[in-house]
Amino acid sequence: MAERIAEDKINEIRHAVDIVEIISDYVQLKKQGRNYFGLCPFHGESTPSFSVSPDKQIFHCFGCHAGGNVFSFLMDLEGISFQEAAIKLAAKVNIDLDIDINIHQQEKKVPKEFQAMKDAHELLRKFYHHLLVNTKEGQHALEYLYGRGFSQESIDKFQIGYSLASWDFVVKFLSKRNFIPEWMEKAGLIIQRERDGTYFDRFRDRIMFPIFDRNGSTIAFSGRSLGGEDPKYLNSPETAIFNKSKILYNYHQAKSSIKKLQYAVLFEGFADVIAADRAGIENGIATMGTSLTDEHIALLRQSVQSIVICYDSDNAGVQAAYRSGNLLQDAGFELKVAMMPDGMDPDEYIKKYGPEKFRHEVIDASLTWMGFKFLYFRRGKNLQNEGDRLNYIEEIIKEISKLPMAVERDHYLRQLAAEFSLSLDALKQQQKEFYFAEKRKSKGKNEDYQKPVIIAKPANELKPAYYTAERYLIAHMLKDRDLAYKVQELLAGNMFNIDEHQAILTYLIEFYEDHLEPDSAAFLTYVQDENLRRMVANIEMQSINDELNNQELSDYIKQVLNYKKLLKIKEKEEEQKEAERLKDFLKAAGIANEIIQLRKSL
């Protein structure tokens, strides 16, 4: 069993960490009033509903109702235990937990096979880099890179290396270090021959570009040929530790720059990222030879809300930019598109025109997403031809109709009117027709086709008075220890009507037995049930008066107790009806009198 982290250490961590700072590593937050808001990392949304309170040191999403403190945030997002979250937070604020960290790390129980795969990649990444920069065998590869504009700084930063022109060097190299060949084949580093079952190296005589995961661990390679060999790039296959749909190249290094600059530049491939980095663009990332996926988008949402797409300007690149842009827009990102002339890719452009021109005339001159669509829909059309021209105008008006702001719609309609000498009023009328036609088309369909969120009832549903009263009482009790005991006394042995509210009250009274002062974040750690934690965070985030006067308190208690009486009245009414059905009018009269007395007590 793992050593238990002492309670006083947990409290020390909680008071030392800032929840806003921790969550900012995963979510782009903006301050609004006293709280911070961003896009929820637990469910897909385009409008920020995720709130973080620095005063209370808690978070809550008004969309999916996720909520808790800094410990539960890490537990829910990273799928780790409380102990692991505490260790991670302690490391951030340099608190010594006085326990053996290795025991906890071992408890993660990463399969030995997967760990061996990572260890082998790390070992080879260092060895390949050493071969490139320090040996005669790698000299020709190093000169090749210098000739293509690579600096020594880039080679070191991206840990570029070289694989020997040998069929079995890596096989022997890893075998001598007790790596199991079958596992290394599954890792994609070596290949087994069918004829005799022996192994040979996958990468031979190639420039080696290591692929890192989000934490900076080497998990794959891409090897570039030095001459005309095919394929030009030979990539690691997908393995247990390498999934292209989840990896963004250079994310681990670019993350800090992305947060600083408040935007990321999305490239098509890692070669463009490295070229752009040489030009001073340190916030560049790229997919690994695959289209943008939901996993990529989820990773981006943790760091940024603005993206500049910088793909090749050939037809395939423009098409890919349009596809990726639509996915990112649907996910709520602010978008721009950097366009390069003459069908160039970033690497070619930088070599021809230089780093400064790339930064200022490509990245800084990026088009808005709608501006890019103007160019996208022109492709393949002869605008001197009347049919093509009308088709283009119709497509653009449809896109303008999707814009949420009237100012944007007006701006682009004026641009369209000026370009083709058209009546602005006619374009506005056409745009409105498209807008309402789309509305009619979607009427009756299920409008909520995002990923389902965990909401038991619609957030705007009118709740009964007793429900609201119980929530307000809990909100005030979370701020006032004495009030918690007073409410318990006024309930006089009665319980809250909502089971979850009663459970929270029970937890809170127990919590106050050991804690003399209210502490929202500490209470959330004390509550073991995840659903109750979410509910507490939700209640904490609601707006209440600083103080609860006696009249308000009395009204809330009355609403809680009255509901039980209303249920009793309903029960008596059923009894009265049954007595009348049986023609027992004396009993019915007695029940009627009971009902009158109960109504008077309301």
Side-chain angles (χ1 to χ4, degrees):
M1 290 289 291
E3 294 181 67
R4 189 172 184 276
I5 301 173
E7 185 67 28
D8 61 333
K9 288 293 182 180
I10 298 296
N11 292 330
E12 187 180 352
I13 294 168
R14 191 173 59 253
H15 290 117
V17 300
D18 179 1
I19 192 170
V20 174
E21 184 179 327
I22 297 300
I23 291 181
S24 290
D25 285 342
Y26 303 87
V27 179
Q28 186 74 19
L29 297 174
K30 291 183 180 178
K31 190 171 185 182
Q32 294 180 24
R34 298 177 67 175
N35 293 344
Y36 290 79
F37 286 84
L39 295 173
C40 179
F42 299 108
H43 82 286
E45 63 177 6
S46 57
T47 303
S49 63
F50 181 83
S51 176
V52 183
S53 169
D55 298 335
K56 299 172 182 176
Q57 289 292 297
I58 63 174
F59 73 91
H60 176 69
C61 175
F62 296 97
C64 69
H65 299 326
N69 59 12
V70 69
F71 294 97
S72 56
F73 176 82
L74 288 180
M75 290 163 65
D76 293 343
L77 191 66
E78 297 193 2
I80 59 179
S81 67
F82 179 84
Q83 300 277 69
E84 290 169 325
I87 290 169
K88 192 165 189 173
L89 291 169
K92 281 184 175 289
V93 290
N94 297 315
I95 291 176
D96 185 0
L97 295 177
D98 299 326
I99 62 171
D100 186 351
I101 301 296
N102 291 325
I103 293 176
H104 289 274
Q105 290 174 341
Q106 288 168 10
E107 287 194 340
K108 286 186 177 180
K109 295 182 180 177
V110 176
K112 288 183 179 180
E113 182 178 344
F114 296 172
Q115 189 59 54
M117 289 179 179
K118 286 189 174 184
D119 292 344
H121 276 87
E122 282 291 319
L123 182 63
L124 284 175
R125 188 257 305 165
K126 294 174 183 177
F127 181 71
Y128 287 149
H129 184 65
H130 169 74
L131 280 175
L132 178 70
V133 299
N134 295 318
T135 69
K136 289 182 179 179
E137 290 87 345
Q139 186 65 36
H140 68 294
L142 187 61
E143 290 175 358
Y144 175 86
L145 287 170
Y146 288 155
R148 294 187 61 85
F150 283 76
S151 65
Q152 187 60 49
E153 183 181 359
S154 283
I155 291 169
D156 291 337
K157 180 175 182 177
F158 293 95
Q159 285 291 287
I160 301 169
Y162 169 69
S163 59
L164 293 170
S166 166
W167 282 92
D168 60 359
F169 181 85
V170 169
V171 173
K172 294 175 180 176
F173 181 79
L174 294 176
S175 295
K176 286 180 181 177
R177 287 157 180 80
N178 298 318
F179 286 98
I180 299 171
E182 289 81 3
W183 291 2
M184 296 303 98
E185 183 196 18
K186 289 181 181 179
L189 296 172
I190 60 178
I191 300 172
Q192 188 174 35
R193 294 183 177 92
E194 289 185 11
R195 66 173 186 268
D196 58 8
T198 59
Y199 295 92
F200 63 96
D201 299 355
R202 177 179 295 275
F203 301 102
R204 302 179 304 279
D205 192 27
R206 287 178 177 268
I207 305 290
M208 299 298 289
F209 296 89
I211 311 302
F212 302 90
D213 65 16
R214 60 182 295 175
N215 299 313
S217 298
T218 313
I219 55 173
F221 291 101
S222 181
R224 191 196 191 285
S225 65
L226 287 161
E229 303 99 315
D230 284 328
K232 180 179 178 181
Y233 283 100
L234 178 63
N235 300 320
S236 292
E238 292 212 344
T239 66
I241 63 171
F242 174 51
N243 185 330
K244 289 185 288 187
S245 66
K246 297 180 180 179
I247 297 299
L248 288 171
Y249 181 78
N250 196 44
Y251 179 81
H252 70 295
Q253 293 191 121
K255 187 165 65 172
S256 60
S257 182
I258 288 171
K259 287 184 177 295
K260 179 180 177 182
L261 297 172
Q262 299 287 293
Y263 76 96
V265 183
L266 179 63
F267 294 98
E268 275 192 274
F270 67 83
D272 294 333
V273 171
I274 297 172
D277 185 81
R278 297 202 303 270
I281 307 297
E282 297 184 341
N283 54 333
I285 51 176
T287 53
M288 292 302 304
T290 183
S291 298
L292 201 66
T293 65
D294 289 342
E295 288 91 345
H296 292 141
I297 290 171
L299 185 58
L300 286 169
R301 287 162 70 96
Q302 295 179 14
S303 303
V304 73
Q305 289 181 359
S306 297
I307 304 283
V308 174
I309 299 173
C310 186
Y311 285 2
D312 296 355
S313 55
D314 58 14
N315 187 60
V318 172
Q319 188 66 44
Y322 180 71
R323 184 172 57 250
S324 295
N326 281 325
L327 291 172
L328 290 165
Q329 186 188 47
D330 290 344
F333 287 91
E334 298 171 10
L335 280 181
K336 288 187 175 181
V337 181
M339 298 295 292
M340 289 170 295
D342 308 324
M344 288 183 163
D345 62 32
D347 189 24
E348 293 167 338
Y349 186 97
I350 292 167
K351 284 174 184 172
K352 184 172 182 179
Y353 297 109
E356 189 171 344
K357 198 165 185 178
F358 178 73
R359 289 196 305 272
H360 297 306
E361 296 189 16
V362 175
I363 301 299
D364 293 346
S366 298
L367 299 172
T368 63
W369 179 233
M370 190 64 221
F372 169 74
K373 286 182 179 180
F374 269 78
L375 295 180
Y376 176 79
F377 286 105
R378 297 175 90 103
R379 297 174 317 123
K381 291 185 177 69
N382 176 11
L383 296 185
Q384 302 304 312
N385 176 279
E386 184 178 4
D388 279 6
R389 185 165 65 251
L390 289 173
N391 180 257
Y392 168 73
I393 291 169
E394 181 178 332
E395 287 178 321
I396 290 297
I397 294 175
K398 285 181 179 178
E399 294 299 321
I400 292 172
S401 298
K402 299 174 185 177
L403 296 172
M405 296 178 62
V407 173
E408 284 184 290
R409 295 194 295 271
D410 184 74
H411 170 77
Y412 289 113
L413 286 173
R414 289 178 185 276
Q415 182 176 318
L416 196 62
E419 183 178 1
F420 294 101
S421 301
L422 298 170
S423 163
L424 180 61
D425 290 338
L427 289 178
K428 286 185 175 180
Q429 181 61 36
Q430 185 73 45
Q431 182 264 312
K432 288 179 181 177
E433 289 179 11
F434 281 133
Y435 176 80
F436 289 113
E438 192 62 33
K439 279 284 185 184
R440 287 193 297 272
K441 192 187 300 182
S442 62
K443 191 175 182 181
K445 293 181 179 178
N446 181 11
E447 294 181 4
D448 184 14
Y449 45 83
Q450 292 182 346
K451 292 181 179 178
V453 295
I454 309 167
I455 304 177
K457 296 181 181 179
N460 61 351
E461 182 182 343
L462 186 63
K463 302 292 186 183
Y466 68 86
Y467 181 94
T468 304
E470 290 177 2
R471 285 175 64 88
Y472 274 112
L473 284 172
I474 292 171
H476 283 286
M477 288 188 289
L478 287 166
K479 295 172 59 179
D480 189 329
R481 182 174 184 267
D482 293 334
L483 179 64
Y485 289 111
K486 188 173 183 179
V487 167
Q488 188 182 37
E489 182 182 335
L490 290 171
L491 287 173
N494 291 290
M495 295 192 295
F496 279 153
N497 298 290
I498 303 299
D499 291 342
E500 291 86 351
H501 293 171
Q502 180 59 38
I504 292 170
L505 174 58
T506 303
Y507 267 120
L508 191 57
I509 295 299
E510 290 176 357
F511 176 79
Y512 280 143
E513 292 297 321
D514 299 320
H515 298 78
L516 298 179
E517 297 294 333
D519 188 330
S520 299
F523 181 59
L524 284 168
T525 300
Y526 186 81
V527 174
Q528 298 299 309
D529 185 271
E530 181 182 346
N531 290 327
L532 291 182
R533 278 203 302 265
R534 290 181 172 210
M535 189 171 282
V536 171
N538 180 282
I539 291 171
E540 274 278 20
M541 286 295 189
Q542 69 185 30
S543 179
I544 61 172
N545 297 329
D546 290 336
E547 293 185 7
L548 180 67
N549 62 46
N550 289 333
Q551 184 59 52
E552 286 178 302
L553 176 58
S554 177
D555 289 344
Y556 289 147
I557 295 293
K558 186 176 181 181
Q559 291 292 350
V560 173
L561 297 179
N562 275 356
Y563 180 65
K564 298 181 185 302
K565 294 176 183 177
L566 289 170
L567 290 177
K568 188 68 174 175
I569 289 171
K570 191 173 181 180
E571 180 185 323
K572 288 294 180 182
E573 286 174 342
E574 291 298 323
E575 289 180 15
Q576 183 186 14
K577 287 179 183 177
E578 179 64 16
E580 290 173 347
R581 189 182 68 81
L582 297 172
K583 301 188 185 306
D584 188 347
F585 299 111
L586 186 61
K587 182 178 181 181
I591 295 172
N593 187 55
E594 290 181 50
I595 292 172
I596 291 170
Q597 296 304 315
L598 282 169
R599 290 190 188 281
K600 284 182 178 179
S601 69
L602 290 175

